[in-house]
């Protein structure tokens, strides 16, 4: 076969100048109703809030560790937030569907579901503790 042939790549030659299309292949798809856990949009690995920037530096199961820096400071001190990841089911608001997602603990759950530490090693130890519960 010549390289400059006009023969379509998705067909096969039957007779000179006559081409038969090949079967179109489709990708495998997941089946509905599987017994797997529902999909939750993961927490962002980086975000900003209330003048702080957060960067995820560790995650084990449903526990995560974020490095926290104050954005307004040229030489910010670093703190670490260790959280137990929670799941929020999807819902509809004003005709728009909001997908199920992982969520950060609320501020009133701090001390039980979220912890702020200033020592990185202590933060990783707390991450391991939360992930084993």
């Amino acid at each position: 076969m010549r390289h400059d042939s006009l023969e379509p790549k998705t067909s096969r030659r039957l007779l000179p100048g006559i081409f038969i299309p090949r079967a179109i292949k489709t990708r495998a798809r997941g089946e509905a109703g599987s017994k797997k856990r529902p999909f939750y949009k993961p927490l962002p690995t980086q975000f900003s809030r209330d003048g702080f920037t957060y960067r995820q530096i560790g995650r084990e199961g449903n526990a995560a560790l974020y490095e926290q820096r104050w954005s307004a400071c040229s030489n910010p001190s670093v703190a670490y937030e260790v959280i137990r990841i929670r799941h929020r089911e999807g819902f509809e608001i004003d005709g728009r569907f909001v997908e199920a997602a992982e969520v950060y603990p609320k501020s009133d759950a701090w001390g039980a579901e979220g912890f702020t530490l200033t020592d990185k090693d202590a933060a990783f130890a707390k991450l391991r503790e939360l992930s084993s519960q």
Side-chain angles (χ1 to χ4, degrees), residues 118-129:
T118 55
D119 180 72
K120 191 174 189 174
D121 292 332
F124 273 101
K126 189 67 173 177
L127 174 67
R128 287 187 294 277
E129 177 190 329

Side-chain angles (χ1 to χ4, degrees), residues 38-47 56 59 61-64 66 83 85-88 99-104:
F39 175 77
Y40 293 94
K41 180 181 176 184
L43 279 169
T45 56
Q46 293 185 26
F47 64 94
Q56 190 180 92
R59 178 166 177 159
N62 282 328
Y66 283 84
I83 63 162
I85 298 169
R86 292 295 175 208
H87 297 100
R88 182 202 68 223
E99 65 186 314
E102 295 178 340
V103 293
Y104 223 79

Side-chain angles (χ1 to χ4, degrees), residues 1 5-7 11-20 22:
M1 179 182 287
S5 170
L6 297 176
E7 179 179 329
S11 65
R12 60 186 177 143
R13 181 180 287 240
L14 181 63
L15 295 172
I18 300 175
F19 303 103
I20 297 177
R22 295 181 189 228

